[in-house]
Amino acid sequence: MSSPDDATAKPVPPPEETTTIPVIDADTEEMVTDDVQAVENLPAGSAMLLVQRGPDAGARFLLDTDVVTVGRHPDSDIFLDDISVSRRHATFSRGDSGYVVSDLGSLNGSYVNRDRIDNDVSLTGGDEVQIGKYRLIYFAGSSKDRA
């Protein structure tokens, strides 16, 4: 048996040096220029949902009314055509400080930042809302008017 102190033990090469380790969330992808411009030009009091993952990835939905319905029912304001979405799944309601998402008792539930929601949840810019297979990123419009 040899021990690490033996002269016959092979030296361990030093680890390769790295100057930085990029911090990248595997679920975060770069936004295309058109999406960035759409977010920057959102009217005050409105918001946008960008489909990041799931069917129709890249689709955008404007939230610009007091209540926006989401579901698999064709009369939904945001129609998400996938079996993982309930017919009447959730609503987005305009509040004093932005939009609030509410699950309507859907079978698969609704999630904000990967936490299942049971009550109304106020959204802030960059929040991830999951409805069925769809992962949507929430972007809020500017609170002040543009000149």
Side-chain angles (χ1 to χ4, degrees):
M1 290 261 156
S2 63
S3 68
D5 296 328
D6 284 351
T8 60
K10 293 183 180 180
V12 177
E16 292 183 25
E17 292 184 32
T18 46
T19 54
T20 60
I21 299 173
V23 179
I24 298 174
D25 183 354
D27 291 330
T28 302
E29 296 178 8
E30 292 292 320
M31 289 175 50
V32 295
T33 304
D34 289 345
D35 292 335
V36 172
Q37 289 175 346
V39 170
E40 289 174 350
N41 293 318
L42 280 171
S46 68
M48 182 180 81
L49 296 170
L50 174 65
V51 180
Q52 182 184 36
R53 299 257 187 207
D56 303 325
R60 297 182 219 152
F61 299 104
L62 182 64
L63 304 178
D64 62 350
T65 59
D66 289 338
V67 177
V68 178
T69 60
V70 181
R72 198 172 31 121
H73 192 281
D75 291 340
S76 298
D77 297 319
I78 298 177
F79 175 60
L80 300 178
D81 191 18
D82 188 82
I83 194 70
S84 64
V85 177
S86 295
R87 291 185 179 276
R88 303 200 192 286
H89 198 105
T91 59
F92 290 88
S93 304
R94 191 181 343 233
D96 293 335
S97 60
Y99 278 86
V100 172
V101 63
S102 306
D103 185 80
L104 299 177
S106 65
L107 181 63
N108 292 324
S110 299
Y111 298 79
V112 174
N113 298 325
R114 304 202 182 175
D115 291 326
R116 189 171 183 147
I117 62 171
D118 295 323
N119 301 313
D120 297 350
V121 174
S122 295
L123 298 172
T124 57
D127 280 348
E128 178 188 83
V129 179
Q130 183 172 345
I131 296 174
K133 291 181 180 178
Y134 293 82
R135 286 194 186 169
L136 308 121
I137 304 300
Y138 173 83
F139 297 97
S142 172
S143 58
K144 59 185 173 190
D145 292 321
R146 290 183 167 88

